[in-house]
Amino acid sequence: MMHFADSLTFSGRKVVAAWAALPFPALSGSSLPDILSAHQQDVPWKLLSSWKEQKVSCCFAQSVVLRGICQEESTSCPGQPRSPLHSCESPEQVLQQFFHTQFPGAFSTFHVLQQPCDTRPPFPQFFSPLLTRRGFLQDKAQGYSSGGVESIPVLAALQSSPGLHWLLSGLCRELRAPNVRRWSSFFMAGVEQDDFQEALEELKTLSQCYETGFGASEDEADSD
């Protein structure tokens, strides 16, 4: 994972954020262009990493993986294309077109796997009764418990984006707040004060690598 993250980072950046749609919000019988066309205003996934900024409007680099949308469900129907997405010839091209619109200029890679994510026990059974056994959405609840969901389509991504500036600078502020000199056990564990301060400076420098210059950053008020 560390080497994979390195492939998405440059210009001094070292951290990526994880996103996932689990399950991918796909209606039963819908094509991939139909599904993504319903999310033109926002990407259909949730942040897994811990920071308060939930919406990302741009990114530097990303790797996106879609699982469980088979070929016949992901290509457009014959006839007049209803959108640029419907004119794409493959699921990879559909993803490329969609994310190029969402994040223009970002370095991106896309992978489509037909095999869905297996959700049979002991996978946690927390699914909505609106899901079919294959994890697709339906208008009516199924006649079986959520434990009957055997697999789900998943959209996931690792992303290097400006939002990581808030995550890293916030972590830096939290680490600076307490007076570590009062924690004898902290330094008994082998941590040196100078090493600790150096690590904080490196963390602050790392957070600055994710700034884009648009808008004021929250850590400007830091009094170092």
Side-chain angles (χ1 to χ4, degrees):
M1 183 61 72
M2 181 175 64
H3 293 300
F4 186 51
D6 284 343
S7 69
L8 297 174
T9 54
F10 42 84
S11 301
R13 305 179 188 111
K14 301 179 181 179
V15 180
V16 293
W19 300 78
L22 190 101
F24 182 53
L27 289 171
S28 182
S30 296
S31 69
L32 182 58
D34 290 336
I35 299 165
L36 293 179
S37 293
H39 293 275
Q40 292 292 338
Q41 302 302 316
D42 200 3
V43 289
W45 55 30
K46 298 295 183 182
L47 179 67
L48 303 182
S49 302
S50 176
W51 97 70
K52 67 180 182 179
E53 295 291 322
Q54 294 295 314
K55 182 174 176 59
V56 173
S57 58
C58 66
C59 75
F60 308 117
Q62 60 185 345
S63 179
V64 181
V65 177
L66 176 65
R67 295 183 57 173
I69 302 293
C70 63
Q71 181 73 15
E72 57 269 21
E73 290 170 326
S74 54
T75 55
S76 58
C77 298
Q80 184 73 22
R82 295 186 295 276
S83 73
L85 295 179
H86 288 84
S87 65
C88 297
E89 297 180 355
S90 69
E92 288 85 358
Q93 289 182 4
V94 174
L95 289 178
Q96 183 177 9
Q97 174 72 27
F98 176 78
F99 284 102
H100 176 72
T101 302
Q102 295 288 335
F103 306 107
F107 169 76
S108 305
T109 63
F110 305 98
H111 303 278
V112 177
L113 306 176
Q114 291 193 20
Q115 183 179 6
C117 178
D118 189 352
T119 57
R120 290 172 294 187
F123 195 95
Q125 300 301 306
F126 47 62
F127 301 109
S128 165
L130 293 176
L131 290 184
T132 67
R133 293 186 184 277
R134 293 180 56 211
F136 292 93
L137 291 169
Q138 290 203 150
D139 294 332
K140 286 186 177 182
Q142 301 299 294
Y144 52 82
S145 67
S146 61
V149 178
E150 299 176 352
S151 65
I152 56 172
V154 176
L155 179 69
L158 291 180
Q159 196 177 73
S160 173
S161 71
L164 285 162
H165 168 69
W166 279 272
L167 171 68
L168 296 171
S169 60
L171 176 60
C172 187
R173 286 195 301 273
E174 291 180 9
L175 291 172
R176 290 185 182 198
N179 184 359
V180 295
R181 293 187 181 89
R182 301 174 59 182
W183 298 354
S184 59
S185 59
F186 186 80
F187 295 103
M188 287 175 60
V191 179
E192 298 291 340
Q193 177 70 27
D194 291 343
D195 293 340
F196 178 71
Q197 293 301 325
E198 182 180 354
L200 286 180
E201 289 303 318
E202 291 178 353
L203 183 60
K204 181 179 179 181
T205 300
L206 179 60
S207 73
Q208 293 171 343
C209 292
Y210 291 87
E211 290 183 294
T212 59
F214 298 105
S217 60
E218 290 186 3
D219 66 338
E220 294 295 330
D222 271 355
S223 56
D224 298 340

